[in-house]
Amino acid sequence: QERYDFQAIEPQWQQQWQDEHIYRVTEDPAKPKYYCLEMFPYPSGNLHMGHVRNYSIGDVVARFKTMQGFNVLHPMGWDAFGLPAENAAIKHGVPPADWTKSNIANMRTQLKTMGLSYDWDREVATCTPEYYKWTQWLFLQFYNAGLAYKKKANVNWCPSCATVLANEQVVEGACERCDSTVEKKALEQWFFRITDYAQRLIDDLEKLPGWPDKVKTMQENWIGRSEGVEMDFPLPSPIGGFDKLTVYTTRQDTIYGVTYLVLAPEHPLVEHLLQNNPKEAEIRAFIKKVLGQSEILRTATDTEKEGIFTGHYCQNPVTGEPVAIWLANYVLAEYGTGAVMGVPTHDQRDFEFAQKYALPLKVVIQPVGVPDLVADDMDHAYEDEGVLVNSDRFNGMNNNDALAAIAAYVEETGKGVRKVNFRLRDWLISRQRYWGAPIPIVYCDKCGEVAVPDQDLPVILPNDVEFKPNGESPLKSRPDFVHTTCPKCGGPAQRETDTMDTFVCSSWYYLRYTAPYSDKDAFERSAVDYWMNVDQYIGGVEHAILHLLYSRFFTKVLHDLNLVAVDEPFANLLTQGMVLLGGSKMSKSKGNTVSPEEIIAKYGADTARLFILFAAPPERDLEWSDRGVEGAHRFLNRVWRLVQAYYPGEEASTAGAEASTETGNEASDGKSRISLQQIASLLITNPDVASLNSDDRELVRMAHVTVKRVTEDIGQRFNFNTAVSAIMELVNALYLYKDKVAPKAQNLSLIKDALARLILVLAPFAPHISEELWQAIGGSGSVHQQSWPSYDPAALVQDQVPVVVQINGKVREKLQLPNGLDGEALQAAAMDNQRVQELIQGKTIVKVITVPNKLVNIVVR
Ligand code: ANZ
Ligand code: ZN
């Protein structure tokens, strides 16, 4: 074929690879395994460039590792439950299942046009009963282990939409859809006890050297471990059964500086403080207002701090002084004890609050080496180190030392206890939504909460439901779903109608891929132990916290339940950068997208992949460039023409068809399979470089250097961009040779070798053209089943090296000299040069300095 006809080549090879199952893998104990995984997509309907980037990166890794001899698991599937399907149903009346299925079909077709090396036999979709049966089963494992429980929780409630909102749907305290003020409503909700694992989730980050530090830091901050003290502030006389207020502080060194105390408006004492309170109405109005604010808003540093005095006092436990009890928006009910001691001099938030409400200031830490703080002159809090003052027996102590000393003192005197706290909350998994995995619990009048027995799983999601925005699960609209019999007593019972957060489904899909057909287990023990953990996980940094944290939690629980051997799911993590257009992230809402379908139609998948991999290192953001795409396309054409020049008229595609069946390794299913080919005669194993002329030697060197660079760039650093430029340099070198050396003098076996190496290292990046050209040069089997080429260190040695000649430190001449000359030979070569001779004529040589392979400096007088 004369022309690089990607439109013919690409679909043809995709079909052939599929027909021959070249990407199918089984657990093969004889081979080292490698599990390469990209985050599975939500089936929104269309592939976007972010997907293309994510999967192109994964595909290079998977193909490279396969060629290196690993048994590579590289699966793909669908994160298929979730709200958009339900919204589409409400808007257009399409059943969520139909909408999702047709989106999956569309995206699968699009993915297949990219020529990715997925084992499609392992495809999973979380919305199928075969999958969510096991999501439900796993829920029950958690439930039986005491890790799933139900409790009343405050959720965001929009009174006008009459629905529960996720935190992300609350914008500045208002409903994202209708802008009405969001309220808090106490509803019974299901939780996973992830807080039990908080410490291990922090500690085990150490086991993940292959994760980006920034992701580990984000997880650590999210879990938010802190060490402090729970300190009791006595109430002068008991109120509603309370005789003290307990605060949580990490700054017990400031206990002598407390000038007020703040309760979260939800604190259980508040109701009692309102009894016979002249300000009751005013305080209730304040509470109502705060309850309408989201947690995010309440804790944001730039949110106005608002509070109200309750009229009550408690006592400072160490000084006995009276301390006014306030309520404020910035104290959260669900952290620590829901009560905070206010130290305005040493905490900026408290300082702002105290300024606003004219509360007293008391300095208890003085900085060293600068003038003393004077409370009345302070314009912000002093939060740094210093020496304690106004602190009784602790005066003069460094405040960091005082942390330990005061903690010990309050413990000894029974005024408090040391306490470790975590920001992490238990994971709220119930959704009053239809398109999710039903929670497998029934409620019996007699037996109460009863788990659905394993043999009754899955609890099938019924098809026809009514969508009414009343905040209740649409499943409630199906009486035949709701009413059931109790598995324990056979009496009447009702099903739980909440479904699970889709993050539950995506917390274990990587385990399912190891044995996706199994209808006896969520995953087969032998398969999961063979494949896990994931050697390389690749996805967007937007999942740095939730998905990755939940998956780590799941793996740890399953490890503890002795269901999997590993206790971390992902050994290495690569978070790819965004795809930008005009400097901002490509997105539908901004209208700055480029459609992968159009690009692939116009230039082919190989061009799209090559451009994306070449344009930036994977972690960095990538700026889309039409010229860059064209450049990648031109490069592939150049490769094509080069091979055609030496292999004219080969009928590549038909050759491929023969090549594919010749090795008849019969698989158990009777279909022929290609076994990994040894690199055939195309490659010269030990090039005898010494016997070659310099052009030939340089050609061999470039071929071997390229293999070395690509191997290291992919294998050690994921620098796909520099790997591609190495390949480009090899192509340039081949053209140079072709144009420079007379046709008769060209060494064809060396050219063949170089072309074969070129095609082999290009294969992970541009799989279709590489396959086509591999067939054209007479390679046997699929290029994707070849061994990765090695390089010969002896061939890397540069024949000639550039050496600079200086006279008195000034560059006067550049010489091409044989590699590795010693000082004496270098000096001789320099002196031999005519221009050098002219320049030093009549002068005295004082000394000559030489640096091998680099420089000769002649000092003259
Ligand atoms: C007194 C104090 C003085 C504080 C000072 C800080 C600086 P981390 O590290 O995140 O655990 N706090 C405690 N419970 C709170 C709640 N429910 N809502 C809002 N804030 C709360 O933070 C612990 C610190 O956060 C605690 O230490 C407490 O304020 C505040 F100069 O106590 B500190
Ligand atoms: Zn019962």
Side-chain angles (χ1 to χ4, degrees):
Q1 285 167 326
E2 282 290 298
R3 195 170 61 88
Y4 169 38
D5 184 3
F6 60 88
Q7 277 158 334
I9 292 169
E10 294 192 348
Q12 190 195 334
W13 281 114
Q14 286 156 16
Q15 189 61 48
Q16 191 161 330
W17 293 332
Q18 180 172 323
D19 292 346
E20 282 159 17
H21 304 282
I22 72 164
Y23 305 125
R24 184 187 276 173
V25 275
T26 51
E27 295 71 58
D28 178 353
K31 273 196 190 171
K33 70 91 187 178
Y34 191 90
Y35 188 172
C36 177
L37 182 65
E38 297 111 55
M39 290 181 183
F40 66 165
Y42 178 78
S44 57
N46 277 298
L47 224 56
H48 56 65
M49 277 304 170
H51 293 129
V52 174
R53 188 172 195 199
N54 192 169
Y55 309 145
S56 297
I57 293 169
D59 206 44
V60 172
V61 176
R63 290 182 186 278
F64 173 70
K65 288 290 173 182
T66 302
M67 292 175 82
Q68 281 197 320
F70 289 89
N71 194 29
V72 174
L73 175 55
H74 189 215
M76 182 37 77
W78 311 97
D79 188 9
F81 273 138
L83 211 48
E86 214 163 319
N87 290 341
I90 295 168
K91 245 188 169 170
H92 311 295
V94 213
D98 297 355
W99 185 86
T100 307
K101 268 187 207 133
S102 74
N103 282 355
I104 289 178
N106 194 40
M107 286 175 77
R108 189 192 294 112
T109 307
Q110 293 176 341
L111 273 181
K112 288 192 172 177
T113 66
M114 284 185 65
L116 301 160
S117 61
Y118 296 129
D119 180 354
W120 280 105
D121 294 345
R122 291 177 185 255
E123 178 180 359
V124 303
T126 59
C127 66
T128 59
E130 298 78 45
Y131 186 92
Y132 70 66
K133 170 180 181 176
W134 299 111
T135 306
Q136 293 172 337
W137 182 82
L138 288 167
F139 171 92
L140 293 174
Q141 305 313 300
F142 279 53
Y143 181 74
N144 295 332
L147 292 168
Y149 68 95
K150 204 174 188 190
K151 75 165 184 203
K152 258 214 164 107
N154 278 322
V155 294
N156 302 309
W157 175 259
C158 171
S160 97
C161 298
T163 187
V164 172
L165 301 175
N167 272 342
E168 296 76 19
Q169 297 171 305
V170 183
V171 179
E172 296 185 1
C175 172
E176 167 190 66
R177 285 191 268 178
C178 72
D179 219 30
S180 25
T181 303
V182 172
E183 294 170 1
K184 289 277 175 173
K185 196 168 173 176
L187 289 177
E188 292 273 333
Q189 303 281 318
W190 283 95
F191 289 86
F192 279 162
R193 218 179 280 284
I194 191 173
T195 51
D196 274 12
Y197 284 74
Q199 189 64 51
R200 264 168 79 192
L201 287 167
I202 292 183
D203 291 345
D204 289 355
L205 288 171
E206 264 180 41
K207 294 186 190 168
L208 303 173
W211 280 40
D213 286 337
K214 79 171 175 220
V215 172
K216 287 191 277 188
T217 307
M218 283 162 86
Q219 292 219 347
E220 204 173 332
N221 292 341
W222 181 263
I223 298 167
R225 182 184 194 276
S226 69
E227 287 177 10
V229 170
E230 278 186 1
M231 195 121 49
D232 297 330
F233 284 60
L235 290 164
S237 53
I239 310 175
F242 285 84
D243 61 355
K244 63 181 189 219
L245 269 172
T246 304
V247 304
Y248 175 67
T249 180
T250 49
R251 293 297 308 275
Q252 57 274 16
D253 53 325
T254 63
I255 181 68
Y256 291 87
V258 175
T259 58
Y260 66 100
L261 185 144
V262 193
L263 301 181
E266 301 92 335
H267 192 283
L269 182 68
V270 172
E271 204 39 54
H272 304 291
L273 297 178
L274 289 177
Q275 300 306 309
N276 306 319
N277 194 318
K279 271 175 43 181
E280 178 177 348
E282 200 188 328
I283 298 175
R284 283 202 194 279
F286 173 77
I287 295 173
K288 184 156 187 247
K289 179 175 176 195
V290 175
L291 294 192
Q293 298 177 335
S294 74
E295 196 165 295
I296 299 162
L297 180 74
R298 277 169 65 172
T299 46
T301 39
D302 53 357
T303 299
E304 169 99 37
K305 281 133 203 83
E306 290 180 285
I308 193 163
F309 179 43
T310 62
H312 288 270
Y313 292 83
C314 58
Q315 270 173 9
N316 184 314
V318 295
T319 65
E321 288 164 350
V323 178
I325 303 173
W326 285 65
L327 309 184
N329 59 347
Y330 70 81
V331 175
L332 298 178
E334 263 130 54
Y335 186 67
T337 60
V340 173
M341 61 190 219
V343 187
T345 40
H346 303 295
D347 181 87
Q348 184 58 22
R349 189 175 62 177
D350 294 353
F351 184 84
E352 287 163 26
F353 190 76
Q355 292 293 88
K356 179 163 178 183
Y357 295 105
L359 296 165
L361 307 184
K362 183 176 167 194
V363 174
V364 290
I365 298 173
Q366 285 294 2
V368 177
V370 292
D372 272 359
L373 299 169
V374 178
D376 287 346
D377 300 342
M378 290 173 79
D379 57 6
H380 61 88
Y382 179 75
E383 293 184 330
D384 292 335
E385 227 184 307
V387 169
L388 262 57
V389 294
N390 297 323
S391 298
D392 195 20
R393 72 190 66 197
F394 301 101
N395 283 340
M397 196 181 268
N398 170 284
N399 75 302
N400 287 324
D401 300 336
L403 280 175
I406 294 181
Y409 172 69
V410 296
E411 278 195 339
E412 277 158 25
T413 51
K415 297 171 200 287
V417 286
R418 269 178 255 239
K419 181 81 202 286
V420 170
N421 262 331
F422 296 92
R423 289 262 157 208
L424 186 68
R425 308 287 81 187
D426 273 346
W427 174 10
L428 198 169
I429 60 145
S430 47
R431 297 287 180 274
Q432 292 71 50
R433 292 290 178 183
Y434 164 70
W435 193 232
I439 293 177
I441 294 284
V442 301
Y443 304 98
C444 165
D445 298 341
K446 272 198 233 140
C447 315
E449 199 176 278
V450 183
V452 173
D454 287 1
Q455 69 268 20
D456 294 347
L457 297 178
V459 176
I460 290 280
L461 196 58
N463 270 328
D464 304 302
V465 297
E466 258 180 72
F467 296 100
K468 276 185 279 179
N470 62 356
E472 290 193 333
S473 168
L475 287 174
K476 287 216 158 103
S477 72
R478 286 283 302 247
D480 56 334
F481 176 83
V482 176
H483 298 295
T484 182
T485 48
C486 170
K488 260 193 197 158
C489 72
Q494 302 198 310
R495 284 195 193 283
E496 170 65 68
T497 54
D498 283 358
T499 56
M500 286 183 239
D501 180 3
T502 57
F503 275 116
V504 177
C505 314
S506 58
S507 290
W508 72 280
Y509 77 110
Y510 49 91
L511 301 173
R512 183 69 185 167
Y513 281 142
T514 66
Y517 317 104
S518 177
D519 56 3
K520 294 185 225 61
D521 308 281
F523 34 83
E524 268 165 35
R525 184 65 198 247
S526 59
V528 87
D529 284 352
Y530 175 82
W531 288 114
M532 283 298 287
N533 38 26
V534 173
D535 294 278
Q536 185 63 56
Y537 199 26
I538 305 161
V541 76
E542 66 275 16
H543 294 294
I545 299 176
L546 297 184
H547 165 59
L548 290 169
L549 192 66
Y550 293 151
S551 298
R552 296 182 60 222
F553 165 58
F554 250 69
T555 302
K556 290 186 188 305
V557 171
L558 300 179
H559 170 86
D560 291 355
L561 296 175
N562 197 22
L563 292 167
V564 298
V566 296
D567 68 349
E568 281 290 339
F570 313 123
N572 296 289
L573 174 70
L574 190 152
T575 50
Q576 98 248 12
M578 295 186 290
V579 182
L580 312 178
L581 184 64
S584 55
K585 182 181 176 170
M586 272 192 192
S587 79
K588 257 197 190 159
S589 57
K590 283 200 217 94
N592 63 339
T593 57
V594 175
S595 137
E597 256 184 319
E598 281 170 29
I599 293 294
I600 291 173
K602 189 162 172 202
Y603 297 100
D606 283 345
T607 294
R609 295 168 54 127
L610 194 74
F611 162 70
I612 279 206
L613 294 162
F614 178 56
E619 284 100 347
R620 298 275 186 78
D621 290 349
L622 175 161
E623 181 70 52
W624 186 266
S625 146
D626 291 338
R627 286 183 53 198
V629 177
E630 274 157 24
H633 195 60
R634 269 199 307 278
F635 170 70
L636 291 180
N637 269 295
R638 226 165 116 71
V639 175
W640 181 269
R641 286 195 308 270
L642 182 65
V643 177
Q644 295 304 322
Y646 289 105
Y647 292 89
E650 301 275 340
E651 272 308 314
S653 299
T654 45
E658 287 156 30
S660 57
T661 45
E662 71 190 19
T663 50
N665 221 0
E666 288 296 310
S668 51
D669 59 6
K671 291 196 177 111
S672 80
R673 302 265 292 282
I674 304 166
S675 68
L676 196 78
Q677 297 292 304
Q678 275 310 305
I679 294 174
S681 50
L682 287 167
L683 295 192
I684 302 165
T685 346
N686 282 313
D688 180 13
V689 276
S691 69
L692 300 175
N693 69 40
S694 67
D695 287 328
D696 288 355
R697 245 194 328 257
E698 178 61 9
L699 183 62
V700 173
R701 189 185 74 82
M702 279 304 291
H704 285 253
V705 160
T706 303
V707 170
K708 177 175 193 284
R709 283 176 57 188
V710 176
T711 307
E712 289 172 359
D713 284 346
I714 304 181
Q716 296 171 10
R717 302 179 275 269
F718 292 143
N719 277 348
F720 306 126
N721 53 328
T722 53
V724 173
S725 39
I727 297 173
M728 290 174 171
E729 283 174 41
L730 174 58
V731 172
N732 288 344
L734 274 155
Y735 270 102
L736 190 73
Y737 184 91
K738 175 171 162 284
D739 297 341
K740 182 178 165 200
V741 180
K744 271 196 184 148
Q746 293 189 9
N747 185 329
L748 286 182
S749 66
L750 293 183
I751 294 170
K752 271 191 178 179
D753 170 275
L755 288 176
R757 283 175 203 275
L758 165 67
I759 292 166
L760 288 167
V761 296
L762 184 62
F765 300 89
H768 309 88
I769 190 175
S770 309
E771 184 75 299
E772 184 74 14
L773 296 177
W774 181 250
Q775 307 308 326
I777 66 170
S780 62
S782 166
V783 71
H784 302 297
Q785 295 182 315
Q786 304 305 311
S787 297
W788 187 253
S790 58
Y791 57 87
D792 182 354
L796 300 177
V797 178
Q798 212 163 353
D799 193 14
Q800 300 264 313
V801 292
V803 173
V804 164
V805 183
Q806 298 177 338
I807 296 173
N808 289 347
K810 253 198 178 157
V811 177
R812 294 298 186 180
E813 185 64 308
K814 282 183 188 143
L815 304 173
Q816 287 292 328
L817 294 178
N819 187 355
L821 294 187
D822 63 12
E824 216 170 295
L826 278 175
Q827 181 172 346
M831 297 302 186
D832 210 30
N833 180 277
Q834 202 183 339
R835 188 168 144 76
V836 173
Q837 284 176 4
E838 284 163 16
L839 285 164
I840 60 175
Q841 206 174 22
K843 302 201 167 132
T844 319
I845 296 175
V846 182
K847 67 177 169 180
V848 178
I849 302 154
T850 57
V851 181
N853 286 347
K854 285 218 166 67
L855 167 123
V856 181
N857 185 14
I858 307 166
V859 183
V860 292
R861 209 175 31 219

